[in-house]
Amino acid sequence: MSSTKYIKDIILKNSICHSSYLANLPAIQYLMKKKKLSLTREVTFFVGENGTGKSTLLEAIAVAYGFNPEGGTRNFSFATSNTHSELYKNLIITKTDFAKDGFFLRAESFYNVASYIDEVGVTHNYGEKSLHNQSHGESFLSLIQNRFSGDSLYLLDEPEAALSPMRLLTLIAEIDNLVKKNSQFIIATHSPILMSFPNAEILEFSQNGMKSVEYKETEHYKVTKFFLENPDRMLKYLLDDKNSE
């Protein structure tokens, strides 16, 4: 994979007011400094610690592209809580092509999306069964397997929140299948399993800014590997410190 399909650049039009909480997020600070974030692969991961602005940036990209802030397709029109930031108003999205379809899938508001699907009566597009009548993980995969097709743009915000390790492997296979059908993904995640997807670009946000990193260089991979190889040592360190207080 050498080029993106639909989103090429995310450009910040104007500076963010320094009194805004957005100005304190590393992902946004990077945009304020560089003015542009270029995507170079069909699959891009936003990774980093909590509070680095991964989901905030992904949400703003989604809304600037035309998706509903709480998730869904570009045709979804509902709002249960107006909590998204104003960042999207300050972004320009440059496109290499027009996506036939797409979906903004976020774990945080998936319940609201499932309710909207029931309300408008389009469950036939999502496996003929209400997403509410399935487990959280089953409904996530049901949506992806039944609603996602090719030639589309997909923005996923922490999909691992609903999925077991085995189901994450299934998701990797689904992403691969959709990439082969001319789709593009931007995914905010903490999952070292998911970010192992071959040939993806991993953009890691931290207090030092943003950089493109190899899979095994990510903090997520290093911490998970160390813990799995040394669980007793890690737990002793963590729990003995607490018990001695």
Short mmCIF file of all heavy atoms in Angstrom, two decimals, residues 209-239:
data_model
loop_
_atom_site.label_atom_id
_atom_site.label_comp_id
_atom_site.label_asym_id
_atom_site.label_seq_id
_atom_site.Cartn_x
_atom_site.Cartn_y
_atom_site.Cartn_z
N GLY A 209 5.06 15.54 21.02
CA GLY A 209 4.55 15.81 19.68
C GLY A 209 3.99 14.56 19.03
O GLY A 209 3.40 13.71 19.69
N MET A 210 4.18 14.44 17.72
CA MET A 210 3.69 13.29 16.98
C MET A 210 4.81 12.74 16.12
O MET A 210 5.61 13.48 15.56
CB MET A 210 2.51 13.70 16.09
CG MET A 210 1.82 12.52 15.39
SD MET A 210 2.65 11.94 13.90
CE MET A 210 2.25 13.25 12.74
N LYS A 211 4.88 11.41 16.04
CA LYS A 211 5.85 10.79 15.16
C LYS A 211 5.29 9.49 14.62
O LYS A 211 4.45 8.84 15.24
CB LYS A 211 7.17 10.52 15.89
CG LYS A 211 7.07 9.57 17.06
CD LYS A 211 8.44 9.37 17.72
CE LYS A 211 8.32 8.41 18.92
NZ LYS A 211 9.64 8.18 19.55
N SER A 212 5.77 9.11 13.43
CA SER A 212 5.41 7.84 12.84
C SER A 212 6.35 6.78 13.40
O SER A 212 7.57 6.96 13.40
CB SER A 212 5.56 7.92 11.31
OG SER A 212 5.24 6.67 10.72
N VAL A 213 5.79 5.71 13.94
CA VAL A 213 6.61 4.70 14.61
C VAL A 213 6.32 3.31 14.04
O VAL A 213 5.25 3.06 13.49
CB VAL A 213 6.36 4.68 16.13
CG1 VAL A 213 6.76 6.01 16.75
CG2 VAL A 213 4.91 4.36 16.45
N GLU A 214 7.28 2.43 14.18
CA GLU A 214 7.09 1.03 13.85
C GLU A 214 6.31 0.36 14.97
O GLU A 214 6.34 0.79 16.12
CB GLU A 214 8.43 0.34 13.64
CG GLU A 214 9.24 0.86 12.46
CD GLU A 214 8.52 0.68 11.14
OE1 GLU A 214 7.90 -0.40 10.95
OE2 GLU A 214 8.56 1.60 10.31
N TYR A 215 5.63 -0.71 14.62
CA TYR A 215 4.77 -1.41 15.57
C TYR A 215 5.46 -1.73 16.89
O TYR A 215 4.95 -1.42 17.98
CB TYR A 215 4.25 -2.69 14.91
CG TYR A 215 3.49 -3.62 15.83
CD1 TYR A 215 2.37 -3.18 16.54
CD2 TYR A 215 3.90 -4.94 15.99
CE1 TYR A 215 1.68 -4.03 17.38
CE2 TYR A 215 3.20 -5.81 16.83
CZ TYR A 215 2.10 -5.34 17.52
OH TYR A 215 1.41 -6.18 18.36
N LYS A 216 6.64 -2.35 16.83
CA LYS A 216 7.33 -2.79 18.05
C LYS A 216 7.98 -1.64 18.80
O LYS A 216 8.52 -1.84 19.89
CB LYS A 216 8.34 -3.87 17.72
CG LYS A 216 7.68 -5.18 17.28
CD LYS A 216 8.70 -6.29 17.06
CE LYS A 216 7.99 -7.58 16.66
NZ LYS A 216 8.96 -8.69 16.44
N GLU A 217 7.92 -0.43 18.24
CA GLU A 217 8.42 0.76 18.94
C GLU A 217 7.34 1.43 19.77
O GLU A 217 7.64 2.32 20.58
CB GLU A 217 8.97 1.77 17.93
CG GLU A 217 10.20 1.30 17.18
CD GLU A 217 10.65 2.31 16.13
OE1 GLU A 217 9.95 3.34 15.97
OE2 GLU A 217 11.67 2.09 15.48
N THR A 218 6.09 1.04 19.60
CA THR A 218 5.01 1.70 20.33
C THR A 218 5.07 1.35 21.81
O THR A 218 5.47 0.24 22.20
CB THR A 218 3.63 1.29 19.79
OG1 THR A 218 3.44 -0.11 19.98
CG2 THR A 218 3.52 1.62 18.31
N GLU A 219 4.65 2.30 22.63
CA GLU A 219 4.60 2.06 24.07
C GLU A 219 3.63 0.93 24.39
O GLU A 219 3.86 0.13 25.30
CB GLU A 219 4.18 3.35 24.78
CG GLU A 219 4.38 3.33 26.29
CD GLU A 219 5.85 3.38 26.68
OE1 GLU A 219 6.69 3.75 25.83
OE2 GLU A 219 6.14 3.05 27.83
N HIS A 220 2.55 0.83 23.62
CA HIS A 220 1.54 -0.21 23.85
C HIS A 220 2.15 -1.60 23.69
O HIS A 220 1.89 -2.49 24.50
CB HIS A 220 0.37 -0.03 22.88
CG HIS A 220 -0.29 1.30 22.97
ND1 HIS A 220 0.27 2.44 22.46
CD2 HIS A 220 -1.49 1.67 23.50
CE1 HIS A 220 -0.53 3.46 22.68
NE2 HIS A 220 -1.61 3.02 23.31
N TYR A 221 2.91 -1.78 22.64
CA TYR A 221 3.54 -3.08 22.40
C TYR A 221 4.55 -3.38 23.51
O TYR A 221 4.58 -4.50 24.05
CB TYR A 221 4.23 -3.09 21.04
CG TYR A 221 5.03 -4.35 20.78
CD1 TYR A 221 4.42 -5.49 20.26
CD2 TYR A 221 6.40 -4.41 21.08
CE1 TYR A 221 5.15 -6.65 20.03
CE2 TYR A 221 7.13 -5.56 20.86
CZ TYR A 221 6.50 -6.68 20.35
OH TYR A 221 7.23 -7.84 20.14
N LYS A 222 5.40 -2.42 23.84
CA LYS A 222 6.46 -2.64 24.82
C LYS A 222 5.89 -2.99 26.20
O LYS A 222 6.35 -3.92 26.86
CB LYS A 222 7.34 -1.39 24.92
CG LYS A 222 8.17 -1.11 23.69
CD LYS A 222 8.94 0.19 23.86
CE LYS A 222 9.75 0.53 22.62
NZ LYS A 222 10.46 1.83 22.76
N VAL A 223 4.89 -2.22 26.64
CA VAL A 223 4.30 -2.46 27.96
C VAL A 223 3.60 -3.81 28.00
O VAL A 223 3.74 -4.59 28.96
CB VAL A 223 3.33 -1.33 28.34
CG1 VAL A 223 2.55 -1.68 29.60
CG2 VAL A 223 4.09 -0.03 28.55
N THR A 224 2.82 -4.10 26.96
CA THR A 224 2.09 -5.38 26.92
C THR A 224 3.05 -6.55 26.88
O THR A 224 2.88 -7.55 27.60
CB THR A 224 1.15 -5.42 25.70
OG1 THR A 224 0.25 -4.32 25.76
CG2 THR A 224 0.35 -6.72 25.68
N LYS A 225 4.08 -6.47 26.07
CA LYS A 225 5.07 -7.54 25.97
C LYS A 225 5.78 -7.76 27.31
O LYS A 225 5.93 -8.90 27.76
CB LYS A 225 6.11 -7.20 24.89
CG LYS A 225 7.17 -8.27 24.66
CD LYS A 225 8.07 -7.86 23.49
CE LYS A 225 9.08 -8.97 23.16
NZ LYS A 225 10.10 -9.11 24.21
N PHE A 226 6.18 -6.66 27.95
CA PHE A 226 6.88 -6.78 29.24
C PHE A 226 5.97 -7.42 30.28
O PHE A 226 6.41 -8.29 31.04
CB PHE A 226 7.34 -5.41 29.72
CG PHE A 226 8.10 -5.47 31.01
CD1 PHE A 226 9.44 -5.82 31.02
CD2 PHE A 226 7.48 -5.21 32.22
CE1 PHE A 226 10.15 -5.90 32.22
CE2 PHE A 226 8.18 -5.29 33.43
CZ PHE A 226 9.51 -5.63 33.42
N PHE A 227 4.70 -7.00 30.30
CA PHE A 227 3.78 -7.55 31.29
C PHE A 227 3.54 -9.04 31.06
O PHE A 227 3.58 -9.84 31.99
CB PHE A 227 2.44 -6.81 31.28
CG PHE A 227 1.46 -7.35 32.29
CD1 PHE A 227 1.51 -6.91 33.60
CD2 PHE A 227 0.53 -8.31 31.94
CE1 PHE A 227 0.63 -7.42 34.54
CE2 PHE A 227 -0.35 -8.82 32.87
CZ PHE A 227 -0.29 -8.37 34.18
N LEU A 228 3.29 -9.43 29.81
CA LEU A 228 3.00 -10.83 29.52
C LEU A 228 4.20 -11.74 29.79
O LEU A 228 4.04 -12.90 30.14
CB LEU A 228 2.54 -10.98 28.07
CG LEU A 228 1.18 -10.36 27.75
CD1 LEU A 228 0.87 -10.50 26.26
CD2 LEU A 228 0.07 -11.00 28.58
N GLU A 229 5.40 -11.19 29.63
CA GLU A 229 6.61 -11.99 29.89
C GLU A 229 6.98 -12.00 31.37
O GLU A 229 7.70 -12.89 31.82
CB GLU A 229 7.77 -11.45 29.06
CG GLU A 229 7.62 -11.69 27.56
CD GLU A 229 8.77 -11.11 26.77
OE1 GLU A 229 9.54 -10.30 27.33
OE2 GLU A 229 8.90 -11.46 25.58
N ASN A 230 6.48 -10.99 32.11
CA ASN A 230 6.86 -10.86 33.53
C ASN A 230 5.67 -10.49 34.40
O ASN A 230 5.74 -9.51 35.17
CB ASN A 230 7.95 -9.79 33.69
CG ASN A 230 9.14 -10.01 32.79
OD1 ASN A 230 10.06 -10.73 33.13
ND2 ASN A 230 9.13 -9.35 31.63
N PRO A 231 4.54 -11.20 34.33
CA PRO A 231 3.35 -10.76 35.08
C PRO A 231 3.58 -10.74 36.59
O PRO A 231 3.16 -9.80 37.27
CB PRO A 231 2.29 -11.78 34.69
CG PRO A 231 3.05 -12.97 34.22
CD PRO A 231 4.27 -12.43 33.57
N ASP A 232 4.25 -11.75 37.14
CA ASP A 232 4.48 -11.80 38.59
C ASP A 232 5.36 -10.65 39.04
O ASP A 232 5.09 -10.02 40.08
CB ASP A 232 5.12 -13.14 38.98
CG ASP A 232 4.18 -14.31 38.75
OD1 ASP A 232 2.96 -14.09 38.69
OD2 ASP A 232 4.68 -15.45 38.62
N ARG A 233 6.40 -10.39 38.28
CA ARG A 233 7.30 -9.29 38.63
C ARG A 233 6.58 -7.95 38.58
O ARG A 233 6.74 -7.12 39.48
CB ARG A 233 8.48 -9.30 37.65
CG ARG A 233 9.49 -8.18 37.86
CD ARG A 233 10.59 -8.29 36.83
NE ARG A 233 11.48 -7.13 36.88
CZ ARG A 233 12.44 -6.92 35.99
NH1 ARG A 233 12.64 -7.80 35.00
NH2 ARG A 233 13.20 -5.85 36.07
N MET A 234 5.79 -7.73 37.54
CA MET A 234 5.07 -6.47 37.41
C MET A 234 4.03 -6.30 38.51
O MET A 234 3.92 -5.23 39.12
CB MET A 234 4.39 -6.40 36.03
CG MET A 234 3.59 -5.12 35.80
SD MET A 234 4.61 -3.64 35.71
CE MET A 234 5.06 -3.66 33.97
N LEU A 235 3.28 -7.36 38.78
CA LEU A 235 2.25 -7.27 39.81
C LEU A 235 2.86 -7.07 41.20
O LEU A 235 2.32 -6.35 42.04
CB LEU A 235 1.37 -8.53 39.79
CG LEU A 235 0.45 -8.65 38.57
CD1 LEU A 235 -0.19 -10.02 38.52
CD2 LEU A 235 -0.61 -7.56 38.59
N LYS A 236 3.99 -7.75 41.45
CA LYS A 236 4.67 -7.57 42.73
C LYS A 236 5.10 -6.12 42.92
O LYS A 236 4.91 -5.54 43.99
CB LYS A 236 5.89 -8.49 42.82
CG LYS A 236 6.59 -8.48 44.19
CD LYS A 236 7.72 -9.49 44.22
CE LYS A 236 8.29 -9.61 45.61
NZ LYS A 236 8.81 -8.32 46.16
N TYR A 237 5.63 -5.55 41.85
CA TYR A 237 6.07 -4.16 41.90
C TYR A 237 4.89 -3.23 42.17
O TYR A 237 4.96 -2.34 43.03
CB TYR A 237 6.75 -3.78 40.59
CG TYR A 237 7.06 -2.32 40.45
CD1 TYR A 237 8.15 -1.75 41.10
CD2 TYR A 237 6.24 -1.48 39.68
CE1 TYR A 237 8.43 -0.40 40.98
CE2 TYR A 237 6.53 -0.13 39.55
CZ TYR A 237 7.61 0.41 40.21
OH TYR A 237 7.88 1.75 40.10
N LEU A 238 3.78 -3.44 41.45
CA LEU A 238 2.62 -2.57 41.60
C LEU A 238 1.93 -2.74 42.94
O LEU A 238 1.60 -1.77 43.62
CB LEU A 238 1.61 -2.86 40.46
CG LEU A 238 2.05 -2.49 39.05
CD1 LEU A 238 1.06 -3.05 38.05
CD2 LEU A 238 2.18 -0.98 38.91
N LEU A 239 1.70 -3.98 43.34
CA LEU A 239 0.90 -4.25 44.53
C LEU A 239 1.69 -4.13 45.82
O LEU A 239 1.14 -3.72 46.84
CB LEU A 239 0.24 -5.64 44.42
CG LEU A 239 -0.64 -5.82 43.19
CD1 LEU A 239 -1.27 -7.21 43.17
CD2 LEU A 239 -1.71 -4.75 43.10
#
